[in-house]
């Protein structure tokens, strides 16, 4: 039975009603939400809440439509509605659209005793309906403004659909391309990852969370999920403190410094403790050392997983461990709602644990302005006007172009001539309108991407013909289901592809991974071109050497054969809604590529994990015997290093100087370098600065990114760029997690990727 309390609706703008415990709403206490500080408002509300209601705030249910985890049991919708009405639900995820959100919100504010609004979460990972490139792609732009803007667009669309909280950004650093979720992150480097984390948080949250088009962000997955052993999803993580403090944690800290309002913990264990139950991470570091005052949501049923991990023997124990460890909200696990009330009542869990969690949750709800107007995100006119509007398409096209990385361009095969050419477009992904949307795109329409074929067709001066050659998958493609990769060849299809290749001036082949081959639950043991694509590539190359390979993928691929043989290679990832337009504009030179890899590309899977900021080892040097650190069957070097990417023009670096050969701790060192555009096009370059701390109490990586700047340079022009180094860049975390700055010799490198050797030195006193 639904009760409509018309009287109440008038008062949402300023007042929250709090009644006694009878279950009926009574206006016996009113909090003026405009005139109290958030803290006071929260305290007042908290003081009126029953234990059940507090536990309710810590309970998050999946909605009744989309599912982004193991499918919940059938028939529990009735229970969820019942709990909503009792005030036993603090948040819902996967409820979207103003109508649906209004419905559940209405129950929360009109039918519960205290009328506390829900916070509505959704995975807005790379856009809502209008999709930006997948995050790893976007990170390849190294363009913080473009990245922030893309998150802004996502927030505008999501908030127009009733959502006020995104489960993004994923800030997990990963060195393992086998792990499917590298598509969701910013790659392998903590410095770049921290800058991108902050840009995304800013884009989602804006300057003022109470505005109707800003949403709370969620830095996830806290922590170390990206180090899952062997790249296998949901696996054990066993890493040392140096890696934890220096590589894993910095992007989370950066997000906290940017006032990210929530964090999500994760499915992995860290050194023997499943992180959902880790007091060390959540209480000691996050809420202790970092003083984080937002809240932590668990990952989907990760509280229950404490049992499968063998860390808790039942749900009761899971509830105790997780709540005590600082997991404030239980996502779709039913653990808190079933167990926590009795644990508090019998004294096993202190009520102060609940108070702390609920205070955090209510604070974010107040900050979002949900108490002032719980329906502020439910304006259907706004929904119609903002979702999918033309300005958003322009914005995602802009970032899509910037995300493309030119990996190889022999004999300047690219850019393509715009007139008089016969172009053969070949490959299973060349006219695909679904796969380029990538993973995590629940609210977008299927087949809504501009395909590469459609994008290239806009260039009318050439004759374009298309053949798929082979199919990449058979059967259905769905976010929650495994894909079936096609392993068969249809001779007729191949013949058609070969025939258009033979008569073409240039062949463009679009190959790679399907959009659902990366993402959650999509780890791979091979990093090749899946299915029969390698065979297709070789067959086409045999009849026409002028091949441009356009890669679509959600992770680094090992494409050694292609690198050796194919003259031009373009890394185009999965670029979202505007994929085809972005690719075409780059291929035709209307946009000069400027992307740089945020993750190392290996030569083969055996090299993985491979990353630029490795340690030297005790035997780093190539020797004429076997006793040095290497493989007998592969080079140590990657196929393409971190930070690498070409342009249609050329950049030369010179005049590297340091302001002093010696500096004292705490003083600034200025590093300057001259960059000259010596090629034939105007272009953009990401100027990267790396340091090497030669000796440390903890061994230091051979290189560490400590600065970058994206600059535009006209052809023939030179620019001088300055970087400043200080304690923040020169120090590191020791094994106890203390930040130390140790005197000694440093090298500083500046260049267009992590292997450049232009070098200066200085001594820190
Ligand atoms: C599980 C994923 O690990 C997490 O990233 C996501 O936000 C939740 N499911 C909710 O969909």
């Amino acid at each position: 039975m639904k009760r409509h309390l018309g009287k109440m609706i008038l008062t949402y703008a300023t007042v929250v009603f709090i009644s006694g415990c009878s279950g009926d709403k009574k206006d016996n206490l009113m909090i003026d939400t405009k005139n109290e500080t958030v803290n006071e408002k929260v305290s007042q509300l908290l003081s009126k809440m029953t234990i059940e209601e507090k536990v309710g705030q810590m309970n998050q249910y999946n909605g009744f439509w989309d599912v982004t985890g193991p499918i919940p049991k059938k028939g529990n919708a009735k229970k969820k509605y019942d709990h909503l009405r009792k005030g036993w639900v603090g948040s819902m995820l996967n409820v979207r659209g103003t109508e649906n959100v209004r419905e559940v919100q209405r129950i929360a504010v009109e039918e519960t005793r205290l009328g506390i609004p829900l916070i509505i979460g959704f995975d807005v990972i790379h856009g809502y309906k209008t999709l930006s490139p997948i995050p790893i792609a976007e990170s390849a732009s190294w363009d913080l403004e473009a990245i922030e803007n893309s998150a802004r667009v996502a927030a505008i669309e999501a908030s127009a659909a009733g959502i006020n909280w995104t489960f993004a950004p994923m800030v997990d650093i990963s060195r393992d391309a086998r792990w499917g979720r590298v598509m969701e992150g910013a790659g392998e480097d903590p410095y770049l990852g921290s800058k991108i984390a902050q840009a995304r948080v800013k884009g989602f949250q804006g300057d003022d969370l109470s505005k109707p088009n800003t949403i709370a962000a969620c830095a996830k997955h806290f922590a170390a999920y990206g180090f899952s052993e062997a790249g296998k999803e949901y696996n054990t993580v066993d890493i040392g403190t140096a890696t934890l403090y220096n590589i894993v944690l910095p992007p989370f800290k950066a997000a906290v410094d940017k006032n990210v309002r929530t964090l999500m913990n994760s499915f992995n264990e860290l050194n023997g403790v499943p992180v959902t139950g880790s007091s060390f991470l959540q209480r000691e570091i996050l809420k202790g050392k970092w003083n984080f005052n937002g809240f932590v949501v668990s990952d989907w049923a990760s509280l229950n997983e404490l049992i499968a991990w063998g860390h808790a023997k039942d749900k009761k124990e899971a509830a105790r461990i997780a709540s005590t460890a600082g997991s404030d909200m239980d996502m779709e696990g039913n653990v808190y709602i079933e167990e926590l009330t009795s644990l508090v009542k019998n004294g096993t869990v202190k009520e102060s644990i609940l108070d702390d969690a609920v205070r955090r949750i209510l604070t974010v709800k107040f900050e979002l302005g949900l108490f002032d107007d719980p329906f502020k995100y439910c304006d259907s006119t706004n929904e119609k006007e903002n979702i999918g509007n033309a300005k958003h398409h322009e914005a995602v096209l802009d970032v899509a172009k910037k995300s493309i990385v030119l990996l190889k361009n022999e004999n300047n095969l690219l850019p393509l001539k715009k007139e008089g050419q016969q172009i053969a477009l070949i490959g299973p992904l060349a006219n695909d309108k679904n796969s380029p949307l990538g993973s995590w795109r629940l609210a977008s329409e299927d087949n809504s991407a501009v395909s590469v074929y459609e994008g290239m067709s806009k260039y009318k001066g050439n004759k374009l013909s298309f053949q798929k050659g082979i199919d990449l998958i058979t059967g259905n493609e769905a976010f929650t289901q495994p894909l079936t990769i096609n392993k068969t060849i249809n001779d007729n299809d191949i013949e058609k592809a070969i025939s258009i290749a033979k008569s073409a001036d240039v062949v463009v082949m679009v190959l790679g991974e399907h959009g659902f081959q990366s993402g959650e639950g999509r780890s791979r043991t091979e990093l090749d071109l899946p299915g029969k694509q390698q065979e297709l590539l070789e067959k086409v190359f045999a009849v026409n050497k002028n091949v441009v390979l356009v890669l679509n993928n959600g992770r680094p691929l090992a494409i050694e054969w292609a690198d050796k043989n194919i003259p031009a290679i373009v890394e185009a990832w999965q670029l979202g809604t505007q994929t085809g337009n972005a690719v075409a504009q780059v291929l035709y030179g209307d946009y000069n590529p400027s992307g740089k890899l945020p993750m190392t590309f290996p030569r083969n899977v055996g090299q993985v994990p491979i990353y630029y900021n490795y340690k030297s080892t005790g035997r780093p040097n190539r020797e004429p015997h076997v006793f040095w650190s290497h493989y007998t069957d592969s080079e140590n070097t990657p196929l393409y290093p971190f930070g690498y990417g070409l342009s249609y023009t050329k950049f030369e670096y010179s005049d590297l100087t340091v302001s002093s050969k010696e500096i004292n701790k705490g003083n600034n060192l200025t590093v300057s370098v001259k960059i000259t555009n010596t090629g034939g096009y105007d272009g953009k370059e990401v100027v990267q600065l790396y340091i090497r701390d030669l000796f440390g109490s903890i061994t230091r990586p051979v290189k560490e990114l400590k600065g970058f700047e994206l600059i535009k340079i006209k052809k023939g022009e030179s620019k001088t760029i300055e970087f400043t180094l200080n304690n923040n860049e020169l120090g590191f975390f020791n094994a106890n997690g203390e930040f130390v700055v140790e005197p000694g010799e440093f090298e500083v490198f500046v260049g267009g990727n992590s292997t450049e050797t232009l070098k200066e030195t200085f001594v820190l006193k």
Side-chain angles (χ1 to χ4, degrees), residues 730-742:
L730 302 179
F732 60 90
F733 291 93
N734 68 16
N736 303 322
E738 296 148 354
F739 191 74
V740 293
V741 183
E742 294 181 347

Side-chain angles (χ1 to χ4, degrees), residues 51-69:
I51 292 175
E52 286 82 353
E53 284 162 344
K54 289 178 188 173
V55 172
Q57 286 304 303
M58 298 167 71
N59 180 35
Q60 183 187 53
Y61 280 145
N62 190 56
F64 314 100
W65 299 275
D66 303 318
V67 172
T68 51

Side-chain angles (χ1 to χ4, degrees), residues 173-174 186-194 247 251 598 612-613 642 704-705:
I173 297 297
S174 183
E188 74 189 35
D189 182 63
Y191 182 88
L192 178 63
S194 298
I247 307 293
Y612 85 95
N613 47 356
F642 173 82
E704 293 176 271
L705 181 72

